[in-house]
Amino acid sequence: MRGLVLLVGLGAPLIAGGSSSSQAEKLGEIQLLVQQGNLAEAKRQLVNGLEEFPNFSGYYDLLGVVEAEEGNYVSAEQDFLKAIELDQLLIGAYLNLGRLYQQNSANDHEAPLKALTTYAKVLKFAPANAEANYQSAALLESRKAYRMSLEHLSRLPKADQEKAQALSVRCADLVGLGERLQAGAAADRLLHSADLAEADILLIMPMLEANHWDDLEQRLLEGAVKGQVAGFDTLGVLGRLYERQGELDEARATLERTAQANPQSTETLIELARIAEKQKDYTGALGYLTHASDLDPQDPAIHFFIGIVCVEENLLEESFKSLKQAVQLAPDNPYYNYALGVVAQQRADPHEAIPYFKKYRVLRPDDPRGNLQLGITYFNSHQDDLAVEELQTAAHHRETAAAAHFFLGRIANQKGDSAVALHELQQALDTEPDYADPYAEEGIIFLKQKDYPSAEKALSRALVLDPDHYVANLNLMMLYQRRGDQRAEEQTKRFEEVKKKRAEKAKLSLRSIQIVR
């Protein structure tokens, strides 16, 4: 029954009814050549044979097998159809044609239906044919005709119904029908099958995932591992299942085994990196990604992922290098450009972020984040007129309004227009009440105006929201010192702590990746 990909191991006689003993003997010799892999000689003898016996269906049938083995889909189809035309009861030709269609379903979207039609023709004159019934059941299951699929399985001999392939299709059918108890029973019988193979487990996975039957999926996958039939694909599915369930340690351990089974799989390494990132093991994530990058240095997604993880590790320079490489490999990816712009903003020259945000704005003109980040970059580059133009655009969108008004307030404050500045900052707080930056900026304005109570209130509020806010801590220290407040000494110590943290963070951002492969 396991004949989905092997065209030589035929499930029915190749010899056409009424063929002579000499023809049958010759056909057997040629079939042996095919089984030995000597396709060229087999093809030569078949062509010669057809010159002598042009109406011998057996020769066309076997020639179709040779053409299929050589990858000649159209020629193989024509040969099988010719064999059927010459002998409409030649079961082997029908089965070979059906298998041919199934093999080529990825390239011919009509092939599964043609295969199903072909097997139906066999069943009209041979209703008990095991392979035609099994293949029909498998095809019907894939078309969600679950009850019809089960009907074909019921026509198999009892012994064949207990084989792993048939139980796999049965289990998938029962899952599709929502029959939990029966599906579980079929799964148990499947796991105890002597001929269980990895493909039998994997066939059911899409159905289980679509119906969110994680318990049965886990039972089957773990059973495959226990039964030692789990290969690279099964381990990968099991690892992703554990990840979906939040069992990250199990997911990572399973995917580590997957990576060992296929060390060249960058997909597995990326999955491992994603799990390590969820575990906040950024060094581990970078190890997986560095290995993946060695395997496929031209994949921009890997460099992008490295850049994002480097941000988590505060490796600013390494992040910039990786994101820049991602952009060079995929210059029209908007997200790569945006991320590179954000990281470039934090470097010594924020002006270098401008082209990346401009590119993002071109690629995503409806996203106001492009205007906001470009406005911030212009502000940091002391190009206030250009900054105001971008920020005013961003201020009209709810998701970017708070930050846009904050920076418009900063620009107004630097120009000495405190009334406009306070108005912009209040608009930022109206949009986002728990935004610390506008309170800190208000504190600066009130401090300039010598309105110390209002300054203290604004700065204190900023520190409630963000205790390590650098600007708020600095200006509260200055306020206490200016007023001769007894809290000045304590606040000075607090500011020194914040300043030290900031310096350490800046120092860390200049580190290089040290990964042991």
Side-chain angles (χ1 to χ4, degrees):
M1 291 171 61
R2 200 177 298 280
L4 284 169
V5 295
L6 182 62
L7 289 171
V8 176
L10 302 176
L14 281 168
I15 312 303
S19 60
S20 68
S21 59
S22 61
Q23 289 174 326
E25 184 178 346
K26 185 62 177 177
L27 195 60
E29 293 174 0
I30 300 173
Q31 184 177 357
L32 183 60
L33 289 172
V34 174
Q35 291 171 336
Q36 292 172 343
N38 192 349
L39 300 181
E41 179 58 24
K43 191 172 187 177
R44 187 188 69 79
Q45 291 192 27
L46 285 167
V47 171
N48 290 339
L50 284 170
E51 289 179 357
E52 185 177 358
F53 302 103
N55 294 320
F56 181 34
S57 60
Y59 282 161
Y60 278 107
D61 187 16
L62 191 50
L63 183 58
V65 172
V66 173
E67 295 286 8
E69 288 290 322
E70 292 181 337
N72 302 322
Y73 174 64
V74 175
S75 296
E77 180 185 29
Q78 291 173 348
D79 289 331
F80 291 137
L81 289 172
K82 182 64 175 178
I84 292 169
E85 178 188 335
L86 293 170
D87 184 350
Q88 295 184 12
L89 298 180
L90 184 56
I91 293 179
Y94 286 101
L95 298 181
N96 284 327
L97 181 59
R99 295 189 195 112
L100 179 74
Y101 288 140
Q102 286 174 279
Q103 282 184 307
N104 287 274
S105 58
N107 302 317
D108 180 1
H109 70 278
E110 294 182 357
L113 182 57
K114 288 193 287 189
L116 191 59
T117 303
T118 301
Y119 293 127
K121 291 177 181 178
V122 174
L123 294 171
K124 282 184 178 180
F125 62 85
N129 184 273
E131 183 169 353
N133 274 300
Y134 166 73
Q135 303 292 10
S136 295
L139 287 162
L140 287 165
E141 183 276 324
S142 68
R143 298 173 71 85
K144 299 183 179 181
Y146 306 122
R147 295 198 183 281
M148 292 177 65
S149 174
L150 288 171
E151 183 180 340
H152 280 283
L153 290 175
S154 70
R155 298 176 186 172
L156 295 174
K158 291 296 183 182
D160 286 349
Q161 290 186 36
E162 293 304 312
K163 290 184 178 179
Q165 280 186 293
L167 287 169
S168 177
V169 176
R170 180 179 296 279
C171 187
D173 285 332
L174 293 168
V175 173
L177 292 170
E179 299 286 353
R180 280 188 173 271
L181 290 177
Q182 293 184 53
D188 289 338
R189 286 154 60 196
L190 172 62
L191 290 173
H192 288 90
S193 297
D195 61 335
L196 178 65
E198 182 179 30
D200 303 319
I201 300 292
L202 293 175
L203 182 143
I204 312 170
M205 292 302 111
M207 183 64 67
L208 290 169
E209 290 177 8
N211 287 276
H212 307 290
W213 286 19
D214 287 2
D215 53 343
L216 185 55
E217 181 178 355
Q218 184 170 341
R219 200 159 97 210
L220 281 165
L221 293 169
E222 290 178 344
V225 173
K226 185 177 179 180
Q228 298 184 336
V229 297
F232 170 78
D233 292 327
T234 298
L235 290 170
V237 175
L238 181 57
R240 289 187 287 275
L241 172 63
Y242 284 142
E243 183 185 0
R244 289 202 309 271
Q245 295 174 335
E247 299 176 18
L248 299 183
D249 289 341
E250 291 82 354
R252 191 167 174 180
T254 303
L255 289 172
E256 284 278 9
R257 290 180 61 186
T258 308
Q260 291 170 9
N262 186 357
Q264 303 302 309
S265 173
T266 57
E267 181 182 352
T268 302
L269 291 166
I270 292 170
E271 288 176 339
L272 280 164
R274 188 179 62 249
I275 293 170
E277 184 188 28
K278 288 182 178 179
Q279 295 175 313
K280 300 190 184 304
D281 177 11
Y282 302 121
T283 301
L286 288 173
Y288 296 128
L289 291 170
T290 302
H291 186 194
S293 179
D294 289 343
L295 292 172
D296 189 359
Q298 298 303 308
D299 186 343
I302 296 174
H303 295 291
F304 175 73
F305 198 171
I306 291 174
I308 297 303
V309 176
C310 284
V311 170
E312 298 285 0
E313 273 283 77
N314 201 32
L315 292 161
L316 183 61
E317 289 304 307
E318 292 289 351
S319 176
F320 180 79
K321 291 176 186 176
S322 294
L323 291 172
K324 190 170 184 179
Q325 196 163 1
V327 169
Q328 288 172 345
L329 291 168
D332 292 330
N333 186 298
Y335 308 108
Y336 297 175
N337 279 278
Y338 185 89
L340 180 56
V342 170
V343 171
Q345 275 183 338
Q346 303 172 54
R347 285 162 54 85
D349 181 12
H351 186 269
E352 66 184 350
I354 290 174
Y356 306 115
F357 287 131
K358 280 187 172 180
K359 185 66 175 286
Y360 180 81
R361 194 178 56 177
V362 169
L363 295 168
R364 289 289 183 271
D366 296 331
D367 187 349
R369 291 179 301 171
N371 301 101
L372 174 64
Q373 294 299 338
L374 194 53
I376 293 171
T377 305
Y378 282 138
F379 170 78
N380 292 331
S381 303
H382 310 292
Q383 301 178 70
D384 288 352
D385 291 342
L386 293 173
V388 168
E389 182 180 348
E390 298 294 337
L391 292 169
Q392 285 179 340
T393 299
H396 288 95
H397 299 269
R398 178 68 178 79
E399 63 269 37
T400 53
H405 284 299
F406 165 66
F407 279 98
L408 287 168
R410 287 193 68 184
I411 292 171
N413 185 25
Q414 289 181 359
K415 290 181 176 180
D417 194 339
S418 59
V420 171
L422 288 170
H423 175 71
E424 292 288 351
L425 295 171
Q426 187 56 53
Q427 285 189 286
L429 292 169
D430 289 343
T431 304
E432 193 174 327
D434 293 334
Y435 188 7
D437 289 349
Y439 285 112
E441 192 71 17
E442 283 184 346
I444 294 172
I445 295 172
F446 291 134
L447 192 58
K448 286 180 184 178
Q449 296 174 341
K450 298 184 179 181
D451 183 353
Y452 300 136
S454 295
E456 182 177 2
K457 181 179 178 182
L459 294 170
S460 297
R461 178 58 182 160
L463 291 174
V464 168
L465 296 169
D466 182 1
D468 290 335
H469 198 288
Y470 184 87
V471 172
N473 275 288
L474 170 63
N475 283 280
L476 187 60
M477 179 188 72
M478 294 170 59
L479 171 62
Y480 287 158
Q481 289 174 344
R482 189 175 298 181
R483 294 174 66 185
D485 194 298
Q486 62 181 358
R487 293 171 291 178
E489 183 178 353
E490 181 182 351
Q491 180 57 30
T492 299
K493 291 180 181 178
R494 174 67 183 135
F495 175 65
E496 289 301 321
E497 291 175 2
V498 172
K499 185 165 67 172
K500 184 178 179 181
K501 285 183 182 178
R502 190 184 197 192
E504 288 174 348
K505 186 176 181 180
K507 184 179 179 180
L508 288 171
S509 71
L510 299 176
R511 292 176 299 162
S512 294
I513 300 175
Q514 299 293 330
I515 298 296
V516 178
R517 294 189 182 92

